[in-house]
Amino acid sequence: MAVSWLQDREVADLCIGKPPTRPIPLSATVGDALLALRNAGADDRLAVWAADRAAPERRACVGKVCMVDVICYLCAEENLEAPCAALGAPVSAFLFPKAAAPLVRRVEPSSSILEALDAIFDGVQSLVVPIRAAASRRKLAGGGGSAEFCWLTQEDFLRFFLNSIFLFSPVPALSVSDLGLVRPAALTVRHQDPALCALPLIRAALTEQTSVAVISNNGHLVGEISPSTLAHLDERVAAALAALSAGELTAYIDCSGTLPESATRSIKARLREKGLLGMLELLEADFSPPFSPTTSCSSSSSSDDESSPSAAPSNCRRPRRLRSVGSYSARMGRQSEEAIVCHPWSSLVAVMIQASTHRVGYVWVVDDDYFLVGMVTLSDMLKVFREQLA
């Protein structure tokens, strides 16, 4: 029954009500992308468009950019001492990582749900789907008509299957452990480690649409560094990432990047101690339009009081709380300080609801003592339904 029902469903069914992508040309700089992201509102990613070499009059989506891309680029070893200068580099500098499969693929509205789902399993992060007829196309400046397209992600497929969960009974009632969905949490960092040590892990988590677990010395989950949360902050996170420990960075993220003045002074003091004066410039930069990498970054020679580094963002909220799948409040909406968790015996449908409610691509798996067991990802959940449809 489920197979015959899905055979009649098209990708267009998942695109109803989706907003158009926000465009940026491939010729844009990192600074251009930063400004666009700061003004993007609720949309946390940009569609990067380039001319089709075979047909120059046409445009094609060649990738996407979010604030996490910018943050990781500014914190790269070669840019750490002069991040403001790095803002003048082309956006392609981090758009095409070596030996990586394309993360964006175009899919036609008439394609079947299964065809689109298989593209996700090929390693594609997002599908870009035309949402306007050719006759109504209008070109945006530098965007090549990108307003005609919308994003389609794993999250959309998850909601699609949740709306039809009854067709797959009794599988959704099985535990994530019985279904073999609990995978090891490979991306972990100790809470006392420098946050910069987590930089390659953050890049990997962004690609895999997961997160970096911050654990105690005895393996308990104490927080996370989530790309989905970082994507809604701004470039000042790069300075915090360069100055703080992993545990302190989670406290910074909990504050949504807004710290007490004493904690901000502490970050500046640490940056001075490390000789990262360029990061000080980034922290104090004014990115109001018009933007120029050479003029927007102010001098870091301010006369701020240099408080002791030990005063780091501990003045902010307490370390993240962990919400389990059985908690009523966990289903009421995610806040930045919460790491979303379930247990090995949690049912698939319960974990799906949790991931959908909190808009995350993963759920951490812990035991009764909150020892980190592993994680369940959206991709693995979706594979269960794909197998049922085979």
Side-chain angles (χ1 to χ4, degrees):
M1 178 179 177
V3 175
S4 60
W5 176 76
L6 273 177
Q7 286 175 343
D8 297 328
R9 303 302 296 269
E10 297 181 345
V11 167
D13 295 335
L14 301 186
C15 299
I16 298 173
K18 301 278 288 185
T21 61
R22 292 180 61 90
I24 189 171
L26 185 59
S27 58
T29 66
V30 177
D32 295 331
L34 174 57
L35 259 187
L37 287 165
R38 288 176 65 98
N39 298 323
D43 194 354
D44 59 1
R45 61 200 155 183
L46 306 172
V48 183
W49 294 84
D52 188 330
R53 293 183 180 180
E57 72 280 0
R58 298 180 58 187
R59 295 288 189 269
C61 183
V62 295
K64 64 177 182 177
V65 173
C66 70
M67 188 63 76
V68 186
D69 292 305
V70 176
I71 292 168
C72 290
Y73 182 70
L74 297 178
C75 287
E77 185 177 358
E78 64 272 18
N79 300 325
L80 200 55
E81 294 184 359
C84 288
L87 293 173
V91 74
S92 57
F94 54 72
L95 189 62
F96 304 108
K98 294 181 179 179
L103 301 181
V104 173
R105 182 182 301 178
R106 173 171 172 159
V107 173
E108 297 304 320
S110 58
S111 300
S112 72
I113 295 290
L114 297 185
E115 289 173 339
L117 192 57
D118 287 339
I120 293 288
F121 296 147
D122 286 341
V124 177
Q125 276 190 3
S126 300
L127 304 175
V128 61
V129 186
I131 57 176
R132 292 183 181 177
S136 64
R137 290 179 180 176
R138 61 184 179 89
K139 295 179 181 278
L140 299 182
S146 59
E148 304 167 44
F149 295 82
C150 70
W151 293 118
L152 208 57
T153 66
Q154 292 183 13
E155 198 177 311
D156 297 302
F157 288 95
L158 182 75
R159 286 194 292 268
F160 174 76
F161 285 117
L162 267 176
N163 289 335
S164 314
I165 199 72
F166 67 95
L167 295 173
F168 299 91
S169 181
V171 172
L174 300 177
S175 72
V176 290
S177 179
D178 288 342
L179 291 169
L181 299 183
V182 182
R183 62 165 67 184
L187 306 178
T188 62
V189 63
R190 302 285 180 179
H191 67 95
Q192 74 272 22
D193 290 340
L196 270 178
C197 292
L199 189 61
L201 305 182
I202 296 172
R203 290 196 188 100
L206 178 63
T207 300
E208 299 171 7
Q209 301 182 73
T210 57
S211 184
V212 179
V214 180
I215 59 175
S216 64
N217 290 332
N218 57 7
H220 288 83
L221 181 64
V222 297
E224 66 173 344
I225 304 173
S226 169
S228 62
T229 302
L230 290 177
H232 292 91
L233 300 181
D234 60 33
E235 72 289 338
R236 290 174 295 177
V237 177
L241 201 153
L244 304 176
S245 69
E248 291 166 343
L249 181 63
T250 64
Y252 178 93
I253 296 171
D254 290 347
C255 294
S256 298
T258 304
L259 293 175
E261 183 59 30
S262 59
T264 301
R265 289 197 301 268
S266 176
I267 291 177
K268 293 179 179 180
R270 292 195 184 189
L271 292 173
R272 291 190 183 97
E273 287 180 1
K274 295 182 177 183
L276 299 177
L277 301 184
M279 280 295 175
L280 273 175
E281 293 180 1
L282 184 70
L283 196 60
E284 299 169 348
D286 179 10
F287 289 99
S288 302
F291 171 79
S292 170
T294 58
T295 60
S296 294
C297 289
S298 61
S299 171
S300 62
S301 58
S302 63
S303 59
D304 291 325
D305 294 333
E306 297 184 17
S307 61
S308 168
S310 62
S314 57
N315 295 341
C316 197
R317 298 178 185 174
R318 299 175 62 184
R320 298 182 174 192
R321 292 168 288 169
L322 306 178
R323 295 284 180 90
S324 71
V325 72
S327 167
Y328 171 81
S329 57
R331 298 191 297 272
M332 298 307 293
R334 188 186 189 203
Q335 296 179 4
S336 62
E337 80 274 11
E338 299 165 355
I340 309 304
V341 302
C342 69
H343 300 289
W345 53 87
S346 300
S347 69
L348 172 60
V349 65
V351 178
M352 289 175 65
I353 292 172
Q354 199 173 16
S356 177
T357 301
H358 300 296
R359 303 199 64 179
V360 291
Y362 58 89
V363 176
W364 299 110
V365 183
V366 297
D367 63 14
D368 281 334
D369 296 323
Y370 283 88
F371 179 87
L372 182 60
V373 176
M375 68 169 16
V376 178
T377 67
L378 254 62
S379 178
D380 289 339
M381 292 186 232
L382 293 175
K383 285 179 181 177
V384 171
F385 297 97
R386 185 64 180 91
E387 291 170 359
Q388 293 294 307
L389 295 170

